[in-house]
Amino acid sequence: MLLDALFSHIVKKGSLRLQIGKGPFRHYGDGSGPAIHMHVKNHKTALAIGLNPYLKLGEAYMDGTLTIENATVFDFLSLLTRNLGAGDDSDPLLQKIQRGWRKSIRFAAQYNPARRAKRNVAHHYDLSNTLYRLFLDRGLTYSCAYFDSPDDDLETAQNQKLRHIAAKLALKPGMRVLDIGCGWGSMALWLAHHCDVQVIGITLSTQQAQLAKERVEQAGLSGRVFIHLKDYRAIEPAFDRIVSIGMFEHVGLPFYGAFFQKIHDLLTPDGVALIHHIARSQGPGATNPWMTKYIFPGGYSPALSEVLPHIERSGLMLTDLEILRHHYAETLHHWRQRFSKNRPKVAALLDERFCRMWEFYLAGSELSFRHGGHVVAQWQLCRNLHSLPYTRPYMETFKKDMPL
């Protein structure tokens, strides 16, 4: 009855058919479009989903006790997210209460001191370098790409993102750059190769650090790129430029003030920083509990209003803020397609349950950008108002002069 009430409340547009065990079909929606047939194995699973859908829906799909018989999990989640939209108002009362509870405990859930931060990073990024090669671009860039055109392939879009960020850093040859959360080294390698700068890359992922070091050697950049397995809190000044791509989501709300104070202290007086991260467009919230448990423990994508006060208090000045709206949805679409194409290899490397977990993760993430109000923010920060040109054309000039 709870699951029936849940879907009756949510699914107003489209068509969903639910069958529990061998019972009769229940129909939801206005009948528009092809009906998606959802099968729940038993009433125990149906009750669990009805009580806590934000956690148990994904778990049931992972475990195979929930199946989508005539469509993909993306089609099913798309139906739900298009009906729910980006706000909280469409949630049933029980889910509103649960959401409120998650918001109330998020300070503790996002408390990420160095040791816990390393453990959280290992949970996701130390799974297998082979896994990430199966769905990322050739440069192994695990963050939002930049699509100048919807027809851009993933490799082109990721290189455009690296160039776009480099343009905002206003680099000069010989500068010293810190890359916080350097991943497999794509940004560090690009900057050293194209901009003639020295880059210190840091990550908490053992496997990322190992592969990034190998890539530096292969690129012949050992004298200009240095990769360290180190927390940002352990770095000493000073740097002309700091870049951080897709790492701020792992900092945790209790540490925002310390993070931006550290950025301030690490920069030279004329230094510039560029922070790129996922953000919420409709105010503070809480991380989906399934995502916290299985994908990104300790992770959170903040609202802009949660970030800016800490920037101001740190003594840094905001010189440019850009919001990328649909770019991550397109990036995730490419990742999802590549993951699907290589699914048998992923299953052989890990297992079927893992495949279903990541299908759910990639589909849900893409839809959070298409329908759920998630965006990407790029903050350009400095300590001195005179560190950068007064108008933005210098960015476009750099991009025109810099080949991909």
Side-chain angles (χ1 to χ4, degrees):
M1 293 297 292
L2 277 173
L3 191 57
D4 180 71
L6 179 71
F7 287 131
S8 295
H9 182 92
I10 292 174
V11 183
K12 304 299 184 182
K13 299 177 182 179
S15 182
L16 176 67
R17 296 198 310 164
L18 167 66
Q19 184 182 31
I20 301 174
K22 296 181 179 179
F25 286 102
R26 295 173 171 85
H27 300 265
Y28 310 93
D30 60 7
S32 61
I36 293 177
H37 177 189
M38 170 187 176
H39 182 258
V40 177
K41 186 174 181 179
N42 52 54
H43 286 275
K44 180 180 178 181
T45 300
L47 176 61
I49 297 171
L51 286 170
N52 191 1
Y54 285 102
L55 175 63
K56 296 300 181 179
L57 191 73
E59 287 188 339
Y61 183 77
M62 289 165 55
D63 295 337
T65 53
L66 181 160
T67 55
I68 310 301
E69 302 295 328
N70 64 336
T72 66
V73 69
F74 179 85
D75 298 326
F76 169 62
L77 292 177
S78 180
L79 174 67
L80 296 184
T81 53
R82 282 186 285 112
N83 275 278
L84 282 168
D88 299 349
D89 291 341
S90 53
D91 269 349
L93 178 60
L94 179 59
Q95 280 68 57
K96 286 181 180 178
I97 294 171
Q98 291 171 347
R99 188 189 293 267
W101 167 249
R102 292 198 302 274
K103 285 183 180 180
S104 71
I105 64 169
R106 64 199 183 113
F107 191 93
Q110 297 171 38
Y111 187 74
N112 294 327
R115 183 177 297 180
R116 186 177 182 186
K118 185 171 179 20
R119 186 170 65 248
N120 290 342
V121 165
H123 177 92
H124 189 87
Y125 297 97
D126 283 342
L127 287 167
S128 165
N129 286 334
T130 301
L131 165 69
Y132 291 99
R133 288 188 183 277
L134 291 174
F135 72 92
L136 296 180
D137 65 301
R138 288 188 295 272
L140 291 176
T141 305
Y142 192 27
S143 55
C144 175
Y146 189 90
F147 291 84
D148 281 335
S149 164
D151 298 326
D152 290 338
D153 62 29
L154 184 60
E155 273 67 27
T156 298
Q158 288 292 14
N159 282 325
Q160 287 169 173
K161 185 268 296 296
L162 299 177
R163 183 180 63 177
H164 189 66
I165 290 175
K168 294 185 177 186
L169 289 171
L171 295 156
K172 296 177 182 178
M175 280 186 166
R176 192 163 183 255
V177 182
L178 174 64
D179 183 354
I180 301 177
C182 66
W184 292 275
S186 59
M187 185 83 255
L189 291 166
W190 199 97
L191 292 176
H193 178 74
H194 290 286
C195 303
D196 191 21
V197 295
Q198 182 189 87
V199 187
I200 309 297
I202 60 171
T203 176
L204 292 178
S205 165
T206 303
Q207 293 202 28
Q208 282 186 338
Q210 179 182 345
L211 183 53
K213 290 177 182 178
E214 293 172 7
R215 296 180 71 199
V216 170
E217 290 281 347
Q218 293 165 2
L221 292 169
S222 298
R224 280 192 280 171
V225 179
F226 306 89
I227 305 297
H228 300 288
L229 191 66
K230 190 171 285 191
D231 190 278
Y232 70 93
R233 287 160 282 209
I235 300 297
E236 297 297 326
F239 295 89
D240 302 294
R241 299 291 186 265
I242 296 175
V243 62
S244 181
I245 305 172
M247 175 271 177
F248 187 66
E249 298 90 328
H250 303 286
V251 169
L253 190 61
F255 293 92
Y256 286 177
F259 177 83
F260 286 108
Q261 189 62 56
K262 187 68 175 180
I263 297 294
H264 174 277
D265 296 346
L266 287 173
L267 283 173
T268 61
D270 291 325
V272 176
L274 191 288
I275 312 298
H276 166 120
H277 69 89
I278 300 170
R280 297 169 185 268
S281 63
Q282 296 189 334
T287 305
N288 176 284
W290 183 87
M291 192 73 76
T292 296
K293 183 175 181 179
Y294 292 101
I295 307 298
F296 292 119
Y300 175 63
S301 301
L304 301 182
S305 60
E306 296 177 287
V307 179
L308 187 55
H310 297 287
I311 293 174
E312 293 173 343
R313 285 194 287 269
S314 73
L316 292 166
M317 288 174 273
L318 175 62
T319 49
D320 191 272
L321 172 61
E322 182 177 10
I323 302 299
L324 307 181
R325 290 159 291 154
H326 300 294
H327 296 265
Y328 219 153
E330 295 306 314
T331 305
L332 283 152
H333 176 73
H334 282 276
W335 291 348
R336 191 166 55 83
Q337 286 187 320
R338 292 183 178 205
F339 186 90
S340 179
K341 180 180 178 181
N342 290 302
R343 193 184 192 281
K345 294 180 181 179
V346 178
L349 180 68
L350 296 156
D351 57 33
E352 282 293 326
R353 187 174 186 267
F354 180 89
C355 286
R356 291 193 294 270
M357 177 173 69
W358 270 56
E359 285 170 343
F360 197 88
Y361 153 54
L362 292 172
S365 296
E366 178 181 340
L367 290 164
S368 72
F369 287 93
R370 294 202 185 279
H371 307 297
H374 278 60
V375 296
V376 169
Q378 289 187 347
W379 306 80
Q380 185 194 60
L381 310 169
C382 68
R383 292 177 58 174
N384 183 339
L385 280 176
H386 304 288
S387 300
L388 293 159
Y390 295 164
T391 56
R392 301 183 89 248
Y394 73 94
M395 300 180 193
E396 292 306 317
T397 300
F398 176 92
K399 290 166 72 173
K400 288 178 182 177
D401 294 342
M402 184 60 64
L404 290 174

